[in-house]
Amino acid sequence: MNKKIIIGVVISVIALPMVTFAATDGTYNISVDNIGFAGGEVSGDGTYQLSDTVGEPLVGLGTSTNYKTQDGFWYMVNNTLALELDSDTKDLGTVTPGTPNTATTTATVTTDAAGGYELLISENNDMTHVTDGTTTIANYAGTIATPTTWSGIGFGFTVTSGAGVDAKWGTSPNNNYSGFPISNTVFHDKAGYTSGGDDTVIEYKVDVPSTQKSGTYNNIVTYTAISKL
């Protein structure tokens, strides 16, 4: 029995919170407003002069699980970040049990962040039968932490090309695959500055058992980009 597989893909973008206030007059821009609480002394070297203020008592890099912020006097960084996909839907066609079908998405990240970026992925639920709303196609057994050579059935993905692709994903024709997490999970980490758009190609693969109920199945896969300091 044949099964029709369709997925939707969506994107989101997260730029790390670098500033909280900004000032501009239409010509000039100050990325950060700062209020000092003392100072006013003038320092100079004979050529240049600086009027000092006292403020920003916290200095250094502050981090949490998801964010980083560089604290200190007049620390100003204003990064840009954009994520585009080559299509917002992917049709994996009609699947014959035992013969996997594939499709690809190209995710293009453009950022001037010095630390690069991370790509995260998630799905809303397992592939679900459109008509009955309950029958599903299971996730592939591999994980992002430990992707495996394709074997068996399910719906999974791999990274086939991109800048700095982790060796764990393998190389064609011996790529390793993971199932899709429900919560956003990093699957690609690009370190360092990139000029212009940076493409990462993700391949989907699906296979089903002969007992799989016929019909159309779909779900939603979400991509998120996060810039790094």
Side-chain angles (χ1 to χ4, degrees), residues 139-179:
N139 251 329
Y140 182 67
T143 66
I144 290 176
T146 311
T148 63
T149 301
W150 186 269
S151 176
I153 59 173
F155 176 48
F157 77 97
T158 187
V159 182
T160 59
S161 67
V165 175
D166 196 309
K168 68 183 180 182
W169 295 109
T171 56
S172 181
N174 299 309
N175 289 103
N176 296 321
Y177 292 81
S178 167

mmCIF file of all heavy atoms in Angstrom, residues 139-179:
data_model
loop_
_atom_site.group_PDB
_atom_site.id
_atom_site.type_symbol
_atom_site.label_atom_id
_atom_site.label_comp_id
_atom_site.label_asym_id
_atom_site.label_seq_id
_atom_site.Cartn_x
_atom_site.Cartn_y
_atom_site.Cartn_z
ATOM 1 N N ASN A 139 9.347 8.423 14.562
ATOM 2 C CA ASN A 139 10.643 9.031 14.328
ATOM 3 C C ASN A 139 11.686 7.947 14.086
ATOM 4 O O ASN A 139 11.602 6.847 14.647
ATOM 5 C CB ASN A 139 11.065 9.850 15.558
ATOM 6 C CG ASN A 139 11.019 11.345 15.297
ATOM 7 O OD1 ASN A 139 11.235 11.806 14.183
ATOM 8 N ND2 ASN A 139 10.739 12.095 16.337
ATOM 9 N N TYR A 140 12.690 8.279 13.267
ATOM 10 C CA TYR A 140 13.818 7.373 13.098
ATOM 11 C C TYR A 140 14.537 7.224 14.436
ATOM 12 O O TYR A 140 14.543 8.136 15.270
ATOM 13 C CB TYR A 140 14.759 7.905 12.027
ATOM 14 C CG TYR A 140 15.929 7.000 11.766
ATOM 15 C CD1 TYR A 140 15.752 5.747 11.206
ATOM 16 C CD2 TYR A 140 17.226 7.391 12.110
ATOM 17 C CE1 TYR A 140 16.821 4.905 10.981
ATOM 18 C CE2 TYR A 140 18.301 6.560 11.886
ATOM 19 C CZ TYR A 140 18.092 5.305 11.327
ATOM 20 O OH TYR A 140 19.150 4.470 11.114
ATOM 21 N N ALA A 141 15.166 6.076 14.654
ATOM 22 C CA ALA A 141 15.723 5.733 15.966
ATOM 23 C C ALA A 141 16.982 6.516 16.329
ATOM 24 O O ALA A 141 17.294 6.671 17.514
ATOM 25 C CB ALA A 141 16.018 4.237 16.033
ATOM 26 N N GLY A 142 17.738 7.030 15.362
ATOM 27 C CA GLY A 142 18.946 7.789 15.672
ATOM 28 C C GLY A 142 18.621 9.104 16.361
ATOM 29 O O GLY A 142 17.486 9.592 16.315
ATOM 30 N N THR A 143 19.620 9.704 17.017
ATOM 31 C CA THR A 143 19.438 10.990 17.688
ATOM 32 C C THR A 143 20.445 11.998 17.163
ATOM 33 O O THR A 143 21.438 11.632 16.523
ATOM 34 C CB THR A 143 19.622 10.852 19.204
ATOM 35 O OG1 THR A 143 20.987 10.496 19.480
ATOM 36 C CG2 THR A 143 18.684 9.798 19.781
ATOM 37 N N ILE A 144 20.204 13.274 17.449
ATOM 38 C CA ILE A 144 21.156 14.307 17.040
ATOM 39 C C ILE A 144 22.504 14.082 17.707
ATOM 40 O O ILE A 144 23.559 14.272 17.094
ATOM 41 C CB ILE A 144 20.596 15.704 17.362
ATOM 42 C CG1 ILE A 144 19.421 16.021 16.421
ATOM 43 C CG2 ILE A 144 21.679 16.773 17.243
ATOM 44 C CD1 ILE A 144 18.733 17.325 16.702
ATOM 45 N N ALA A 145 22.498 13.658 18.955
ATOM 46 C CA ALA A 145 23.752 13.389 19.654
ATOM 47 C C ALA A 145 24.485 12.203 19.049
ATOM 48 O O ALA A 145 25.718 12.200 18.952
ATOM 49 C CB ALA A 145 23.481 13.139 21.134
ATOM 50 N N THR A 146 23.710 11.201 18.613
ATOM 51 C CA THR A 146 24.310 9.987 18.044
ATOM 52 C C THR A 146 23.523 9.537 16.821
ATOM 53 O O THR A 146 22.736 8.588 16.875
ATOM 54 C CB THR A 146 24.345 8.855 19.083
ATOM 55 O OG1 THR A 146 24.892 9.342 20.307
ATOM 56 C CG2 THR A 146 25.195 7.688 18.593
ATOM 57 N N PRO A 147 23.697 10.214 15.686
ATOM 58 C CA PRO A 147 23.027 9.768 14.458
ATOM 59 C C PRO A 147 23.601 8.439 13.986
ATOM 60 O O PRO A 147 24.767 8.133 14.253
ATOM 61 C CB PRO A 147 23.301 10.899 13.463
ATOM 62 C CG PRO A 147 24.551 11.559 13.972
ATOM 63 C CD PRO A 147 24.542 11.403 15.454
ATOM 64 N N THR A 148 22.791 7.665 13.270
ATOM 65 C CA THR A 148 23.223 6.325 12.851
ATOM 66 C C THR A 148 22.991 6.112 11.362
ATOM 67 O O THR A 148 22.157 6.783 10.745
ATOM 68 C CB THR A 148 22.464 5.239 13.624
ATOM 69 O OG1 THR A 148 21.060 5.335 13.316
ATOM 70 C CG2 THR A 148 22.658 5.391 15.125
ATOM 71 N N THR A 149 23.722 5.157 10.811
ATOM 72 C CA THR A 149 23.489 4.753 9.431
ATOM 73 C C THR A 149 22.045 4.302 9.271
ATOM 74 O O THR A 149 21.511 3.589 10.118
ATOM 75 C CB THR A 149 24.429 3.595 9.046
ATOM 76 O OG1 THR A 149 25.785 4.019 9.221
ATOM 77 C CG2 THR A 149 24.212 3.167 7.603
ATOM 78 N N TRP A 150 21.414 4.718 8.170
ATOM 79 C CA TRP A 150 19.990 4.414 7.987
ATOM 80 C C TRP A 150 19.759 2.914 7.983
ATOM 81 O O TRP A 150 20.373 2.169 7.246
ATOM 82 C CB TRP A 150 19.470 5.018 6.688
ATOM 83 C CG TRP A 150 17.980 4.845 6.553
ATOM 84 C CD1 TRP A 150 17.327 3.814 5.962
ATOM 85 C CD2 TRP A 150 16.985 5.711 7.084
ATOM 86 N NE1 TRP A 150 15.974 3.985 6.072
ATOM 87 C CE2 TRP A 150 15.723 5.146 6.763
ATOM 88 C CE3 TRP A 150 17.009 6.911 7.789
ATOM 89 C CZ2 TRP A 150 14.509 5.739 7.114
ATOM 90 C CZ3 TRP A 150 15.814 7.505 8.143
ATOM 91 C CH2 TRP A 150 14.585 6.919 7.806
ATOM 92 N N SER A 151 18.838 2.501 8.837
ATOM 93 C CA SER A 151 18.462 1.095 8.923
ATOM 94 C C SER A 151 17.073 1.009 9.515
ATOM 95 O O SER A 151 16.801 1.592 10.567
ATOM 96 C CB SER A 151 19.453 0.319 9.802
ATOM 97 O OG SER A 151 19.043 -1.024 9.955
ATOM 98 N N GLY A 152 16.173 0.335 8.837
ATOM 99 C CA GLY A 152 14.825 0.178 9.374
ATOM 100 C C GLY A 152 13.860 1.189 8.814
ATOM 101 O O GLY A 152 13.932 1.557 7.637
ATOM 102 N N ILE A 153 12.963 1.672 9.679
ATOM 103 C CA ILE A 153 11.873 2.531 9.233
ATOM 104 C C ILE A 153 11.834 3.802 10.071
ATOM 105 O O ILE A 153 12.515 3.930 11.084
ATOM 106 C CB ILE A 153 10.522 1.798 9.351
ATOM 107 C CG1 ILE A 153 10.286 1.368 10.811
ATOM 108 C CG2 ILE A 153 10.483 0.603 8.414
ATOM 109 C CD1 ILE A 153 8.913 0.780 11.045
ATOM 110 N N GLY A 154 10.990 4.752 9.647
ATOM 111 C CA GLY A 154 10.793 5.988 10.391
ATOM 112 C C GLY A 154 11.032 7.205 9.524
ATOM 113 O O GLY A 154 11.259 7.121 8.318
ATOM 114 N N PHE A 155 10.974 8.377 10.172
ATOM 115 C CA PHE A 155 11.182 9.669 9.522
ATOM 116 C C PHE A 155 12.369 10.338 10.196
ATOM 117 O O PHE A 155 12.369 10.560 11.410
ATOM 118 C CB PHE A 155 9.923 10.533 9.656
ATOM 119 C CG PHE A 155 10.049 11.919 9.096
ATOM 120 C CD1 PHE A 155 10.579 12.129 7.834
ATOM 121 C CD2 PHE A 155 9.619 13.021 9.831
ATOM 122 C CE1 PHE A 155 10.693 13.412 7.310
ATOM 123 C CE2 PHE A 155 9.716 14.306 9.317
ATOM 124 C CZ PHE A 155 10.248 14.501 8.057
ATOM 125 N N GLY A 156 13.410 10.636 9.415
ATOM 126 C CA GLY A 156 14.624 11.205 9.994
ATOM 127 C C GLY A 156 15.278 12.204 9.068
ATOM 128 O O GLY A 156 14.782 12.502 7.978
ATOM 129 N N PHE A 157 16.426 12.716 9.511
ATOM 130 C CA PHE A 157 17.152 13.705 8.707
ATOM 131 C C PHE A 157 18.652 13.571 8.935
ATOM 132 O O PHE A 157 19.117 12.964 9.907
ATOM 133 C CB PHE A 157 16.701 15.125 9.060
ATOM 134 C CG PHE A 157 17.279 15.644 10.360
ATOM 135 C CD1 PHE A 157 18.402 16.455 10.364
ATOM 136 C CD2 PHE A 157 16.700 15.312 11.576
ATOM 137 C CE1 PHE A 157 18.947 16.925 11.559
ATOM 138 C CE2 PHE A 157 17.219 15.782 12.778
ATOM 139 C CZ PHE A 157 18.351 16.596 12.770
ATOM 140 N N THR A 158 19.418 14.165 8.011
ATOM 141 C CA THR A 158 20.866 14.261 8.138
ATOM 142 C C THR A 158 21.311 15.594 7.558
ATOM 143 O O THR A 158 20.518 16.305 6.917
ATOM 144 C CB THR A 158 21.572 13.101 7.414
ATOM 145 O OG1 THR A 158 22.977 13.146 7.690
ATOM 146 C CG2 THR A 158 21.368 13.188 5.898
ATOM 147 N N VAL A 159 22.559 15.956 7.764
ATOM 148 C CA VAL A 159 23.154 17.157 7.175
ATOM 149 C C VAL A 159 24.128 16.700 6.097
ATOM 150 O O VAL A 159 25.123 16.037 6.390
ATOM 151 C CB VAL A 159 23.884 18.007 8.235
ATOM 152 C CG1 VAL A 159 24.450 19.278 7.603
ATOM 153 C CG2 VAL A 159 22.939 18.356 9.385
ATOM 154 N N THR A 160 23.841 17.055 4.858
ATOM 155 C CA THR A 160 24.659 16.561 3.747
ATOM 156 C C THR A 160 25.760 17.518 3.329
ATOM 157 O O THR A 160 26.774 17.092 2.773
ATOM 158 C CB THR A 160 23.789 16.247 2.523
ATOM 159 O OG1 THR A 160 23.091 17.432 2.112
ATOM 160 C CG2 THR A 160 22.769 15.149 2.855
ATOM 161 N N SER A 161 25.574 18.826 3.574
ATOM 162 C CA SER A 161 26.637 19.776 3.226
ATOM 163 C C SER A 161 26.439 21.073 3.991
ATOM 164 O O SER A 161 25.356 21.388 4.469
ATOM 165 C CB SER A 161 26.651 20.056 1.712
ATOM 166 O OG SER A 161 25.487 20.747 1.315
ATOM 167 N N GLY A 162 27.535 21.821 4.097
ATOM 168 C CA GLY A 162 27.515 23.087 4.817
ATOM 169 C C GLY A 162 28.910 23.405 5.321
ATOM 170 O O GLY A 162 29.851 22.619 5.158
ATOM 171 N N ALA A 163 29.057 24.562 5.951
ATOM 172 C CA ALA A 163 30.342 24.990 6.490
ATOM 173 C C ALA A 163 30.546 24.395 7.879
ATOM 174 O O ALA A 163 29.743 24.618 8.776
ATOM 175 C CB ALA A 163 30.401 26.514 6.558
ATOM 176 N N GLY A 164 31.612 23.636 8.028
ATOM 177 C CA GLY A 164 31.924 23.074 9.329
ATOM 178 C C GLY A 164 30.964 22.014 9.804
ATOM 179 O O GLY A 164 30.671 21.913 11.002
ATOM 180 N N VAL A 165 30.451 21.171 8.892
ATOM 181 C CA VAL A 165 29.511 20.112 9.269
ATOM 182 C C VAL A 165 30.214 19.100 10.171
ATOM 183 O O VAL A 165 31.322 18.627 9.864
ATOM 184 C CB VAL A 165 28.950 19.403 8.026
ATOM 185 C CG1 VAL A 165 28.076 18.215 8.422
ATOM 186 C CG2 VAL A 165 28.147 20.389 7.189
ATOM 187 N N ASP A 166 29.576 18.746 11.268
ATOM 188 C CA ASP A 166 30.145 17.795 12.221
ATOM 189 C C ASP A 166 30.317 16.427 11.554
ATOM 190 O O ASP A 166 29.432 15.941 10.848
ATOM 191 C CB ASP A 166 29.214 17.670 13.433
ATOM 192 C CG ASP A 166 29.894 17.008 14.622
ATOM 193 O OD1 ASP A 166 30.490 15.928 14.451
ATOM 194 O OD2 ASP A 166 29.801 17.563 15.727
ATOM 195 N N ALA A 167 31.471 15.798 11.813
ATOM 196 C CA ALA A 167 31.781 14.502 11.207
ATOM 197 C C ALA A 167 30.775 13.422 11.585
ATOM 198 O O ALA A 167 30.663 12.412 10.876
ATOM 199 C CB ALA A 167 33.192 14.066 11.607
ATOM 200 N N LYS A 168 30.024 13.615 12.669
ATOM 201 C CA LYS A 168 29.078 12.593 13.105
ATOM 202 C C LYS A 168 27.977 12.340 12.073
ATOM 203 O O LYS A 168 27.353 11.274 12.078
ATOM 204 C CB LYS A 168 28.437 12.975 14.432
ATOM 205 C CG LYS A 168 27.496 14.176 14.365
ATOM 206 C CD LYS A 168 26.943 14.546 15.726
ATOM 207 C CE LYS A 168 26.009 15.744 15.653
ATOM 208 N NZ LYS A 168 25.496 16.128 17.004
ATOM 209 N N TRP A 169 27.725 13.327 11.182
ATOM 210 C CA TRP A 169 26.675 13.162 10.170
ATOM 211 C C TRP A 169 27.128 12.290 8.998
ATOM 212 O O TRP A 169 26.321 11.937 8.148
ATOM 213 C CB TRP A 169 26.208 14.517 9.665
ATOM 214 C CG TRP A 169 25.541 15.347 10.718
ATOM 215 C CD1 TRP A 169 26.018 16.473 11.314
ATOM 216 C CD2 TRP A 169 24.263 15.095 11.312
ATOM 217 N NE1 TRP A 169 25.124 16.942 12.246
ATOM 218 C CE2 TRP A 169 24.037 16.112 12.263
ATOM 219 C CE3 TRP A 169 23.283 14.106 11.138
ATOM 220 C CZ2 TRP A 169 22.875 16.163 13.034
ATOM 221 C CZ3 TRP A 169 22.133 14.157 11.909
ATOM 222 C CH2 TRP A 169 21.937 15.179 12.839
ATOM 223 N N GLY A 170 28.418 11.962 8.947
ATOM 224 C CA GLY A 170 28.918 11.126 7.861
ATOM 225 C C GLY A 170 29.003 11.900 6.555
ATOM 226 O O GLY A 170 28.819 13.114 6.505
ATOM 227 N N THR A 171 29.278 11.181 5.481
ATOM 228 C CA THR A 171 29.346 11.774 4.145
ATOM 229 C C THR A 171 28.629 10.857 3.159
ATOM 230 O O THR A 171 28.545 9.647 3.364
ATOM 231 C CB THR A 171 30.803 11.966 3.684
ATOM 232 O OG1 THR A 171 31.493 10.719 3.742
ATOM 233 C CG2 THR A 171 31.521 12.981 4.563
ATOM 234 N N SER A 172 28.129 11.453 2.079
ATOM 235 C CA SER A 172 27.407 10.687 1.060
ATOM 236 C C SER A 172 28.358 9.669 0.412
ATOM 237 O O SER A 172 29.519 9.988 0.116
ATOM 238 C CB SER A 172 26.868 11.628 -0.013
ATOM 239 O OG SER A 172 26.159 10.918 -0.995
ATOM 240 N N PRO A 173 27.917 8.445 0.189
ATOM 241 C CA PRO A 173 26.563 7.905 0.386
ATOM 242 C C PRO A 173 26.358 7.261 1.757
ATOM 243 O O PRO A 173 25.423 6.494 1.928
ATOM 244 C CB PRO A 173 26.469 6.845 -0.719
ATOM 245 C CG PRO A 173 27.874 6.299 -0.777
ATOM 246 C CD PRO A 173 28.786 7.465 -0.512
ATOM 247 N N ASN A 174 27.237 7.570 2.711
ATOM 248 C CA ASN A 174 27.170 6.928 4.025
ATOM 249 C C ASN A 174 26.819 7.933 5.124
ATOM 250 O O ASN A 174 27.499 8.025 6.145
ATOM 251 C CB ASN A 174 28.506 6.247 4.335
ATOM 252 C CG ASN A 174 28.857 5.173 3.328
ATOM 253 O OD1 ASN A 174 28.047 4.291 3.027
ATOM 254 N ND2 ASN A 174 30.070 5.241 2.791
ATOM 255 N N ASN A 175 25.767 8.691 4.877
ATOM 256 C CA ASN A 175 25.324 9.653 5.877
ATOM 257 C C ASN A 175 24.690 8.951 7.079
ATOM 258 O O ASN A 175 24.157 7.844 6.956
ATOM 259 C CB ASN A 175 24.314 10.629 5.283
ATOM 260 C CG ASN A 175 24.953 11.604 4.315
ATOM 261 O OD1 ASN A 175 24.826 11.445 3.112
ATOM 262 N ND2 ASN A 175 25.649 12.599 4.838
ATOM 263 N N ASN A 176 24.730 9.624 8.228
ATOM 264 C CA ASN A 176 24.074 9.145 9.435
ATOM 265 C C ASN A 176 22.844 10.009 9.719
ATOM 266 O O ASN A 176 22.854 11.220 9.447
ATOM 267 C CB ASN A 176 25.043 9.187 10.616
ATOM 268 C CG ASN A 176 26.209 8.252 10.416
ATOM 269 O OD1 ASN A 176 26.052 7.137 9.908
ATOM 270 N ND2 ASN A 176 27.406 8.696 10.794
ATOM 271 N N TYR A 177 21.815 9.392 10.292
ATOM 272 C CA TYR A 177 20.509 10.048 10.417
ATOM 273 C C TYR A 177 20.041 10.106 11.865
ATOM 274 O O TYR A 177 20.394 9.269 12.703
ATOM 275 C CB TYR A 177 19.470 9.309 9.574
ATOM 276 C CG TYR A 177 19.714 9.426 8.094
ATOM 277 C CD1 TYR A 177 20.653 8.609 7.461
ATOM 278 C CD2 TYR A 177 19.025 10.357 7.325
ATOM 279 C CE1 TYR A 177 20.899 8.721 6.100
ATOM 280 C CE2 TYR A 177 19.260 10.471 5.963
ATOM 281 C CZ TYR A 177 20.200 9.655 5.357
ATOM 282 O OH TYR A 177 20.441 9.771 4.005
ATOM 283 N N SER A 178 19.218 11.125 12.115
ATOM 284 C CA SER A 178 18.602 11.319 13.424
ATOM 285 C C SER A 178 17.094 11.466 13.254
ATOM 286 O O SER A 178 16.613 11.910 12.205
ATOM 287 C CB SER A 178 19.156 12.600 14.080
ATOM 288 O OG SER A 178 18.373 12.981 15.194
ATOM 289 N N GLY A 179 16.356 11.109 14.306
ATOM 290 C CA GLY A 179 14.953 11.470 14.360
ATOM 291 C C GLY A 179 14.824 12.943 14.708
ATOM 292 O O GLY A 179 15.812 13.627 15.007
#
